[in-house]
Amino acid sequence: MPAVPFKTRAKAAIRPYWRHARDLWRLARFCIYDFHRFRRFSGTFPLRMSSGAEAARITKYYHMIEKGLALSAPRPGFGHYAIGELCELLEKSMIEGRQGQHIGHALDTLLAYRDFNAHSDGATPDCVERVITQAQVQKIACVPGATKAVTRAEITEAIGFDAERFFSTRYSVRQFSDAPVDRADLEAAIRIAQTTPSVCNRQSARVHIIIDPAQRAELLRFQNGNRGFGESMGALAIITADLSHFVEPSERYQAWIDGGLFAMTFALGLHARGLGSCFLNWSASVENDRALRAAMNLPDEETVITFLAIGTLRETFIVARSPRKPLDQVVTLDAF
Ligand SMILES: Cc1cc2nc3c(=O)[nH]c(=O)nc-3n(C[C@H](O)[C@H](O)[C@H](O)COP(=O)(O)O)c2cc1C
């Protein structure tokens, strides 16, 4: 066997150290990039609170009250801290003439909270009356409501189908037919995606749909996993999350969690409408993230979560097998 030249051996020996150092440096840069984006565009720092951040905070606090009212036995007069914060934010919002569904929903919740305390001998803080009066003066429509009743029969009826089959026939599709994607199907799938839970119901997820092939090709240049099928999709979705909806340093990863959950439900919604889809990762470098943002003119506060290729199904097509791990490698049960 011919001897391996010294230069080749030396290169092979050095390579892992070089890669280690390079990736440590890249990791640090990427984390610093994310840190600065969260610092600048999240709703964490009240000195520069955008209207989006204010709406997110209002939603956070009214949701604390509505979920309190959804407990089996809410404590009379519960939630004074959340009520105080909510009243302060609502008063400011109304005085500054801001509008939006969140204000109406927050007022509905305050009315329900006042009714609950009136029927359970709980104390309602004075600010609640003040805010309700202010809303009446400004003629903002609200009706008491923070919870709704659900029956087991409703749910049993709704799940009376082969759910396992539904989930197990969602594949990552990389071969699409030429038929265009129907906008009504996209809209229906987005409505389904909107049923996704999100932290305090803040609903930070956004979806950008690009149907025009030239625009799609322009954006797909920045993504590294669509080679060989990118051009065949009927629509590209770019799912983002609005950082202004996150209001604490501890929520620094919430955009990816809420955005990821939304993206999954969207994919299932597309499947429910008979469309195929394939996630396309946005495990992007700082440079690629900046380039994409500039190309699509993405608002600063939106963080890209993932791309999703969407298309109509062929009569028959091939998918990767993508076998799953055995259950015992995924789950531990009572193993503390
Ligand atoms: C966040 C995410 C990113 C992905 N990125 C890519 C990608 O860039 N290109 C690709 O062809 N598939 C991509 N996939 C698809 C996975 O390969 C696929 O989901 C996995 O193999 C399981 O197969 P299944 O979706 O058919 O069940 C991605 C999936 C996820 C969830």
Side-chain angles (χ1 to χ4, degrees):
M1 230 179 36
V4 180
F6 172 75
K7 212 169 144 186
T8 311
R9 277 188 289 126
K11 266 191 182 165
I14 290 168
R15 196 173 297 129
Y17 294 96
W18 181 81
R19 281 202 179 148
H20 187 99
R22 180 199 63 184
D23 286 343
L24 208 56
W25 168 239
R26 292 179 80 214
L27 175 64
R29 276 187 58 232
F30 297 175
C31 289
I32 291 168
Y33 176 70
D34 292 340
F35 167 82
H36 284 301
R37 284 191 40 75
F38 193 86
R39 181 183 63 77
R40 292 179 64 196
F41 305 121
S42 81
T44 302
F45 302 100
L47 293 182
R48 54 167 103 104
M49 188 157 44
S50 66
S51 57
E54 189 179 271
R57 276 177 192 259
I58 288 176
T59 306
K60 172 181 161 168
Y61 288 118
Y62 90 69
H63 180 67
M64 283 166 89
I65 302 302
E66 66 176 3
K67 76 181 179 189
L69 291 170
L71 296 177
S72 302
R75 183 172 53 78
F78 75 93
H80 280 200
Y81 171 76
I83 288 286
E85 295 289 312
L86 179 59
C87 286
E88 197 177 307
L89 285 161
L90 279 174
E91 275 183 311
K92 180 169 173 285
S93 267
M94 288 191 291
I95 288 167
E96 292 176 8
R98 267 193 279 290
Q99 289 172 352
Q101 270 193 337
H102 60 286
I103 297 183
H105 293 323
L107 291 165
D108 299 347
T109 304
L110 283 185
L111 288 172
Y113 176 78
R114 187 181 65 175
D115 282 1
F116 164 73
N117 280 331
H119 289 107
S120 61
D121 281 340
T124 298
D126 296 341
C127 65
V128 171
E129 213 48 59
R130 224 173 37 237
V131 167
I132 291 170
T133 310
Q134 170 81 18
Q136 283 163 346
V137 170
Q138 292 190 221
K139 297 195 171 35
I140 300 175
C142 49
V143 279
T147 55
K148 65 175 190 174
V150 178
T151 64
R152 184 143 63 106
E154 244 176 87
I155 293 178
T156 309
E157 200 254 26
I159 60 174
F161 74 109
D162 191 345
E164 201 156 338
R165 189 143 174 252
F166 171 78
F167 287 103
S168 63
T169 51
R170 192 241 11 111
Y171 303 104
S172 286
V173 179
R174 300 177 180 90
Q175 308 178 356
F176 297 109
S177 87
D178 294 333
V181 171
D182 190 334
R183 286 177 192 225
D185 287 330
L186 289 174
E187 274 181 30
I190 294 168
R191 272 196 298 276
I192 291 172
Q194 284 192 286
T195 66
T196 307
S198 62
V199 66
C200 298
N201 196 28
R202 279 181 248 162
Q203 304 171 63
S204 63
R206 302 284 174 268
V207 49
H208 302 263
I209 304 281
I210 301 107
I211 293 180
D212 177 67
Q215 286 189 33
R216 245 176 20 222
E218 164 73 10
L219 301 182
L220 284 170
R221 282 189 309 129
F222 304 114
Q223 200 279 336
N224 62 10
N226 68 89
R227 197 167 306 143
F229 70 100
E231 59 292 337
S232 72
M233 68 180 80
L236 171 66
I238 298 185
I239 292 128
T240 66
D242 183 336
L243 284 182
S244 70
H245 288 53
F246 303 109
V247 298
E248 314 254 356
S250 58
E251 292 178 349
R252 65 202 181 281
Y253 300 126
Q254 203 62 44
W256 287 286
I257 297 167
D258 286 4
L261 290 169
F262 180 94
M264 187 65 240
T265 318
F266 182 35
L268 291 170
L270 293 165
H271 178 47
R273 300 290 292 198
L275 289 170
S277 71
C278 182
F279 281 105
L280 300 172
N281 77 84
W282 193 241
S283 307
S285 65
V286 169
E287 291 72 20
N288 264 11
D289 195 63
R290 285 195 176 126
L292 175 79
R293 307 183 70 81
M296 66 183 288
N297 211 3
L298 192 66
D300 281 336
E301 63 277 12
E302 288 187 41
T303 284
V304 179
I305 307 300
T306 186
F307 286 24
L308 191 64
I310 302 169
T312 45
L313 297 179
R314 294 182 183 178
E315 289 306 316
T316 53
F317 53 97
I318 306 291
V319 297
R321 200 157 56 93
S322 296
R324 299 312 204 249
K325 293 179 176 174
L327 208 59
D328 63 1
Q329 285 183 21
V330 177
V331 64
T332 59
L333 193 60
D334 294 341
F336 302 108

